[in-house]
Amino acid sequence: MGHEDCIFCKIVSGDIPSAKVYEDDYVYAFLDISQVTKGHTLIIPKTHTKNIYETPVDTASEFFARVPKVANAIKATYNPIGMNLLNNNEKPADQSVFHLHIHLIPRYGDSDGFSTNWKTHTEEYTNEDLQKIAKEINSSI
Ligand code: 5GP
Ligand code: ZN
């Protein structure tokens, strides 16, 4: 099941040490070495899959089903004022480890180490534009 040269597969197998938060048959959760905020955790499926695009539905359902459990454990432990979940796919979107993972980043305040920068373009799209875009994406499903 382990993927050669994948550091997260090596973390699952114990070949690379990690600070394990949770483990069961399907997922492994451990502290991100960068600790953007205290308790910053990564949850990964034990089965190697590169990113969201290549993830089979069975792997996805077992994986995503366990995310709330870990999120709630972090919340119960450190009582953050919020939490951001982040999943990067492909290099231009900041994926640096090519084994699917979700970052759980508990939030403690404005300057806690994490921030999001969202530019809204609401005024640039009519309702018709939105309907057209939605249809275009839907036609690829
Ligand atoms: P990405 O940039 O792919 O979304 O996130 C990869 C994350 O993995 C980074 O936040 C990085 O700090 C973390 N990471 C990389 N190598 C290791 C490691 O060996 N151990 C742990 N615990 N985290 C790692
Ligand atoms: Zn892997």
Side-chain angles (χ1 to χ4, degrees):
M1 190 153 57
H3 197 266
E4 220 182 320
D5 299 331
C6 170
I7 59 166
F8 284 0
C9 284
K10 287 181 180 157
I11 282 175
V12 170
S13 66
D15 293 337
I16 293 176
S18 68
K20 181 170 79 178
V21 170
Y22 175 76
E23 177 180 20
D24 64 21
D25 286 349
Y26 297 97
V27 304
Y28 191 95
F30 58 105
L31 294 185
D32 189 306
I33 202 165
S34 70
Q35 286 299 284
V36 167
T37 65
K38 186 180 179 182
H40 175 191
T41 298
L42 300 173
I43 181 168
I44 66 175
K46 282 191 167 176
T47 306
H48 180 89
T49 177
K50 181 185 170 194
N51 58 34
I52 197 70
Y53 302 124
E54 300 185 5
T55 303
V57 68
D58 286 355
T59 304
S61 56
E62 300 293 6
F63 173 56
F64 286 102
R66 286 158 175 82
V67 176
K69 191 200 293 275
V70 177
N72 276 300
I74 297 167
K75 179 172 181 275
T77 307
Y78 292 124
N79 196 28
I81 58 173
M83 187 177 299
N84 291 102
L85 268 56
L86 183 65
N87 161 237
N88 301 327
N89 299 283
E90 304 293 1
K91 227 176 216 155
D94 294 329
Q95 184 175 11
S96 63
V97 177
F98 292 88
H99 180 131
L100 178 67
H101 54 279
I102 292 177
H103 296 258
L104 296 99
I105 305 173
R107 301 299 306 279
Y108 303 102
D110 285 341
S111 51
D112 58 5
F114 185 80
S115 68
T116 50
N117 185 7
W118 298 52
K119 212 176 203 152
T120 58
H121 298 97
T122 315
E123 303 78 19
E124 296 171 29
Y125 293 86
T126 64
N127 189 44
E128 262 176 18
D129 292 331
L130 298 183
Q131 294 298 333
K132 182 169 176 286
I133 293 166
K135 263 204 190 94
E136 283 170 352
I137 297 170
N138 177 263
S139 71
S140 300
I141 289 177

